Amino acid sequence: MMGLTFINAFVFGVQGNTIRYLGRDTPLNQFLAGSAAGAIQCVICCPMELAKTRMQLQGTGEYKSRSKNYKNSLDCLVKIHRKEGIKGINRGMVTTFLRETPSFGLYFLTYDYLTRYLSCEINDGLIIPKLLFAGGMSGIVSWLSTYPIDVIKSRLQADGVGGVNQYNGILDCIRKSYEVEGWRVFTRGLTSTLLRAFPVNAATFATVTMFLMYMRSENTINECDAGPAIQQPTSM
């Protein structure tokens, strides 16, 4: 909850400004702008997800019979920093980068395509359902594109919670996970993730798009352009 506000601000802000910098609203530029946004927000996303993972696993492994080690997310990050330093806070950064960069590129590219395909016009009575559908499907596509990397990221961030480190890096984690559980390990939790992804991203994109349309109502906007209308020349 603490991190999502800043993440969304980073993502939509960077994506919009990158589109304006590139000068043309093309599918390739939508992908590049989304990828840039995904890469930059890793700085916030990685520590946030590390704290979430550690908090969710609290009470397992060697800490099963003990009192809670972390009081809250901030306390979790502080204690990780004291024990492992900056490297500990950024555990999983490489896999987060490998996940977020292409997935956010596809995220905005899919939304761009669907809003154009559905002809989302500002005076369309069905614009909100169309935006919700486009946003939800964008979330599903982005998660499907990089979900196996997310599994590895989560395993690396959870590694050591039980008292013993199992993995020596990304490739070692991939190899050991596959050897023990087979290829299905890379799809574990996918169904629940997709069930969450559709409503969350539907609401996110529809809200941002409608808000920007409202704020820019003085300008003539005949089409609900992609990304969500943030390629307009006005500043976000």
Side-chain angles (χ1 to χ4, degrees):
M1 291 291 289
M2 291 169 59
L4 283 176
T5 301
F6 298 102
I7 286 177
N8 283 322
F10 264 76
V11 167
F12 287 100
V14 171
Q15 197 270 353
N17 283 289
T18 303
I19 281 289
R20 283 190 285 272
Y21 176 79
L22 293 174
R24 295 181 59 194
D25 177 22
T26 64
L28 176 60
N29 286 348
Q30 283 287 343
F31 178 82
L32 293 175
S35 297
I40 292 176
Q41 61 92 42
C42 288
V43 177
I44 299 176
C45 179
C46 182
M48 179 195 76
E49 294 198 358
L50 174 65
K52 177 179 72 70
T53 299
R54 294 294 178 91
M55 290 290 291
Q56 288 177 334
L57 291 175
Q58 191 165 221
T60 63
E62 67 171 348
Y63 303 112
K64 189 172 183 179
S65 60
R66 302 183 185 180
S67 59
K68 290 185 178 181
N69 193 39
Y70 308 123
K71 298 178 181 178
N72 50 53
S73 298
L74 182 59
D75 180 62
C76 177
L77 291 175
V78 170
K79 288 182 177 178
I80 292 174
H81 181 268
R82 288 175 180 172
K83 184 178 180 180
E84 305 176 51
I86 295 296
K87 184 178 180 181
I89 291 294
N90 292 313
R91 181 188 290 259
M93 179 64 76
V94 174
T95 46
T96 301
F97 178 83
L98 293 175
R99 181 193 70 179
E100 300 292 79
T101 302
S103 69
F104 270 93
L106 289 172
Y107 185 55
F108 283 95
L109 177 61
T110 302
Y111 187 75
D112 175 76
Y113 172 79
L114 288 176
T115 51
R116 294 179 189 277
Y117 178 78
L118 295 172
S119 300
C120 296
E121 297 180 358
I122 195 168
N123 57 352
D124 187 349
L126 296 176
I127 186 172
I128 293 180
K130 288 180 179 180
L131 292 178
L132 289 171
F133 176 77
M137 291 305 299
S138 299
I140 287 179
V141 169
S142 67
W143 272 109
L144 284 174
S145 66
T146 57
Y147 190 77
I149 301 176
D150 180 70
V151 173
I152 299 304
K153 177 201 70 69
S154 297
R155 293 197 164 208
L156 289 172
Q157 289 184 328
D159 194 31
V161 172
V164 179
N165 289 315
Q166 302 181 57
Y167 311 118
N168 294 320
I170 298 174
L171 294 179
D172 185 56
C173 181
I174 295 173
R175 180 179 61 82
K176 289 181 178 178
S177 297
Y178 178 77
E179 289 177 353
V180 174
E181 304 175 62
W183 66 269
R184 290 185 181 274
V185 68
F186 302 113
T187 62
R188 177 171 293 180
L190 178 60
T191 301
S192 58
T193 299
L194 296 181
L195 289 174
R196 178 193 68 183
F198 189 94
V200 168
N201 292 288
T204 299
F205 258 125
T207 301
V208 173
T209 301
M210 295 304 297
F211 177 79
L212 291 176
M213 285 182 174
Y214 174 78
M215 295 299 292
R216 296 168 182 169
S217 59
E218 294 181 358
N219 297 329
T220 301
I221 304 176
N222 295 319
E223 182 180 355
C224 169
D225 291 325
I230 52 181
Q231 69 273 27
Q232 298 296 327
T234 54
S235 174
M236 187 171 180

